[in-house]
Amino acid sequence: MSQNLLKISEILKNDYKPALENQIGIEPSPFLEKVKKVPLAANTIKAAAPIGINGGFGFGYEGTNTPTAGAQNYAAFTLDAVDMYVDIRISDKTVKLAGANAGAMVNALDGEVKGSYASAKWNIGRALFGDGTGKLAAITQIGADNVLSLTSTKSVIEGLVIDIYVGDGASAAYTARRITRVDRAAKTITVDGEALTAVEAADQVGFITVQNSLGREICGLGAIFDASIDSLYGLKKADNPWINPLAIDAGHDFTDIVIHSGVKQAFDYKNSQIDLIMMGDTAFSSYQTYMKENNVVVSDKHQFVGGAVGYKVLVGNREVVIVNERFVPDNEAWGVDTTAFSFESTGWDFASQDSGIFTLIPGTSVYRALLASYGNLMCANPGGCVRFYNCDLSKS
């Protein structure tokens, strides 16, 4: 390996990696910033989730039997770690032209590293609100010129490389197709490559995932809030209703009274102290309209490291941060007790070998460095979360 490439490796490891590791662990979402970060100890993440309260209490009078023991009941949650990667590439030509000049090397790396970080930030931020299946959206039609109609474009962006599943979804019909255009108004995307086989409109033609990611993503908040996901942390939701979050119908009138009702029920019956409410775009707009029309007093604003700005509002006798979150469904708001969550991971480091962190991609003149982390998101009290729905304003 050339001395220039070794120097670039050292710059990546010593100057870029610490900042990247900190940023990827905080900036993708206000939610990720607030939850606990725990070192991953084993591939299977475990948690003991309390069910209800200790049953060993009773009233009585002198001389009668004391209460029968009723030890706290627990359920065992299990969750496997997933693999997360950031791919950084640099050409042999760039390495040679940089020479021995450290400044030139940094300039050569800077754009590539920033682009890789932006991709990681987007995908981790999105996956935190997914359900672990990796499905970005359902396909309703495959049209001419490689245009796909989707149920939602919330989780796609130009440049993303996807797999396209058609029919029963047993295997990808088209792999490694890159999104070249997103039309959010029409809910369509355009992908590169050879022509796709057209499929007429239907309720569901298929679905798309990030490349190689079907069933391999973070078990995000969607796994908790989406009622169509029938299992969570190894338990069937139907057999364990206590793990289902509270569901509050805002009735197209999203007010402080609605929020207070959800937060209070979570505290009274689920042993949960909601401290963060993340609102989809329409829900957030509705709540802002309500605040303006009713002169709601904001106790303070909260600036997150990733750039988001939230409101600190008083809900009953506690302070709750309210923030707009693009990956929450538009007409919904998700309330969580962030102290019940932990993100367990190995941290981010380069996959290395004896020759360093770079390997030459076969058949090319491009070197690749792989930044990797292994982990997942766990919640000890998913039933203590609150889903507010029908949060858009009434059109009547």
Side-chain angles (χ1 to χ4, degrees):
M1 182 172 289
S2 71
Q3 289 300 309
N4 287 355
L5 201 56
L6 288 173
K7 289 178 182 177
I8 288 175
S9 297
E10 291 303 310
I11 291 171
L12 267 178
K13 288 190 290 186
N14 298 328
D15 296 343
Y16 279 96
K17 186 182 83 73
L20 279 173
E21 183 170 18
N22 181 60
Q23 290 169 336
I24 295 174
I26 293 176
E27 291 189 3
S29 166
F31 170 69
L32 184 59
E33 181 177 332
K34 286 179 69 68
V35 303
K36 297 188 293 290
K37 314 301 186 301
V38 179
L40 182 68
N43 184 61
T44 299
I45 300 167
K46 298 180 179 181
I51 304 173
I53 64 172
N54 185 297
F57 177 86
F59 290 99
Y61 61 90
E62 187 176 1
T64 62
N65 293 333
T66 56
T68 301
Q72 177 69 55
N73 288 328
Y74 290 90
F77 285 170
T78 60
L79 183 66
D80 286 341
V82 300
D83 302 359
M84 296 166 279
Y85 301 110
V86 177
D87 190 27
I88 298 174
R89 302 189 181 200
I90 189 168
S91 71
D92 182 65
K93 181 179 180 180
T94 300
V95 171
K96 287 184 168 60
L97 291 179
N101 186 306
M105 291 179 184
V106 170
N107 289 338
L109 279 171
D110 201 55
E112 180 63 28
V113 171
K114 286 180 178 177
S116 297
Y117 165 66
S119 177
K121 180 179 177 180
W122 164 269
N123 282 291
I124 292 172
R126 172 194 56 74
L128 286 168
F129 295 86
D131 56 23
T133 65
K135 296 179 181 179
L136 303 179
I139 304 169
T140 56
Q141 184 176 17
I142 299 176
D145 301 321
N146 286 4
V147 175
L148 284 72
S149 299
L150 306 177
T151 52
S152 170
T153 54
K154 186 177 285 290
S155 296
V156 295
I157 191 170
E158 288 86 353
L160 194 67
V161 179
I162 62 171
D163 292 336
I164 302 170
Y165 291 79
V166 180
D168 60 11
S171 60
Y174 307 98
T175 59
R177 293 300 185 95
R178 195 163 196 185
I179 297 175
T180 60
R181 183 172 184 265
V182 179
D183 186 334
R184 301 194 186 279
K187 293 186 179 180
T188 65
I189 61 171
T190 304
V191 299
D192 65 4
E194 296 180 2
L196 307 178
T197 302
V199 181
E200 291 301 316
D203 289 340
Q204 184 168 323
V205 169
F207 59 89
I208 60 172
T209 72
V210 175
Q211 57 178 333
N212 303 319
S213 297
L214 181 63
R216 298 173 178 171
E217 289 200 354
I218 294 167
C219 183
L221 290 170
I224 295 174
F225 287 105
D226 188 343
S228 69
I229 302 299
D230 61 4
S231 296
L232 181 66
Y233 307 143
L235 300 179
K236 290 286 187 181
K237 289 183 178 180
D239 298 334
N240 300 275
W242 56 272
I243 68 176
N244 294 316
L246 293 166
I248 306 295
D249 186 352
H252 308 288
D253 189 19
F254 197 29
T255 68
D256 279 348
I257 294 173
V258 173
I259 292 175
H260 179 265
S261 173
V263 171
K264 186 175 187 300
Q265 287 184 56
F267 179 77
D268 288 348
Y269 307 120
K270 297 282 192 167
N271 194 30
S272 177
Q273 299 192 44
I274 302 298
D275 60 357
L276 178 66
I277 296 178
M278 297 164 286
M279 299 183 179
D281 293 344
T282 304
F284 189 70
S285 177
S286 298
Y287 186 69
Q288 284 191 306
T289 298
Y290 162 76
M291 291 175 70
K292 290 175 183 177
E293 291 178 350
N294 293 274
N295 297 316
V296 174
V297 177
V298 176
S299 62
D300 199 0
K301 288 188 176 181
H302 185 88
Q303 177 79 46
F304 290 93
V305 173
V309 177
Y311 300 119
K312 288 183 179 178
V313 298
L314 292 176
V315 179
N317 61 353
R318 67 173 52 87
E319 194 173 65
V320 175
V321 175
I322 290 174
V323 67
N324 181 206
E325 174 51 67
R326 60 186 171 184
F327 294 117
V328 171
D330 286 341
N331 289 339
E332 297 187 12
W334 293 355
V336 296
D337 177 353
T338 58
T339 65
F341 288 85
S342 61
F343 194 86
E344 299 195 22
S345 75
T346 59
W348 290 87
D349 202 355
F350 285 102
S352 60
Q353 51 190 359
D354 293 340
S355 58
I357 65 172
F358 279 102
T359 57
L360 186 65
I361 301 172
T364 75
S365 61
V366 175
Y367 292 97
R368 179 196 196 203
L370 190 65
L371 193 61
S373 179
Y374 310 96
N376 217 323
L377 178 71
M378 173 64 80
C379 179
N381 185 17
C385 299
V386 184
R387 171 179 167 258
F388 300 93
Y389 61 98
N390 288 333
C391 296
D392 54 327
L393 293 174
S394 174
K395 296 179 176 60
S396 60

